[in-house]
Amino acid sequence: MPCALAHCATLRYMEEVTHRELRNDSGSVLRRAGNGEMLLITNHGVATATLGPPPKDMLSDLAARGMLRVARADPSTLTTIRRRTSDLTSAEFVSDVRGSW
């Protein structure tokens, strides 16, 4: 009988790391993730996150998850933006924007 994904799956083993261990020994935990290990982060025994190495192509991964907006124009066109000058100092400009001038 075929296995329906909603009812069963084959999982790769992930070592569990508590949030306290992550907080207290973050350097070691991050080194493990950087070396390719996938870690399951738990909080009070409940799985809350996974930690692992970044994908080889971060932009493709973000695009696949719908978290990337494609540029409307080639970045080289940014050099054509005309610079403007102002009589205000940076502090005066910030004060004006904050409404405290």
Side-chain angles (χ1 to χ4, degrees):
M1 174 183 221
C3 177
L5 187 58
H7 299 289
C8 62
T10 301
L11 297 175
R12 191 176 101 191
Y13 175 75
M14 272 195 272
E15 181 151 346
E16 204 171 289
V17 175
T18 66
H19 80 281
R20 182 166 289 153
E21 182 182 352
L22 177 61
R23 183 188 65 214
N24 293 341
D25 200 14
S26 61
S28 172
V29 172
L30 289 173
R31 272 190 295 282
R32 288 171 60 188
N35 288 330
E37 193 173 343
M38 288 293 295
L39 304 165
L40 180 66
I41 311 300
T42 62
N43 190 14
H44 300 291
V46 177
T48 56
T50 56
L51 181 63
K56 298 288 184 217
D57 183 0
M58 185 65 78
L59 292 178
S60 293
D61 181 62
L62 290 171
R65 293 190 287 149
M67 300 177 70
L68 179 73
R69 185 178 64 186
V70 179
R72 287 186 248 169
D74 189 276
S76 64
T77 63
L78 293 174
T79 58
T80 63
I81 296 174
R82 190 172 57 111
R83 297 183 135 220
R84 296 183 144 205
T85 59
S86 174
D87 295 331
L88 299 174
T89 66
S90 296
E92 291 170 333
F93 182 76
V94 169
S95 292
D96 181 46
V97 169
R98 292 181 177 164
S100 58
W101 194 33

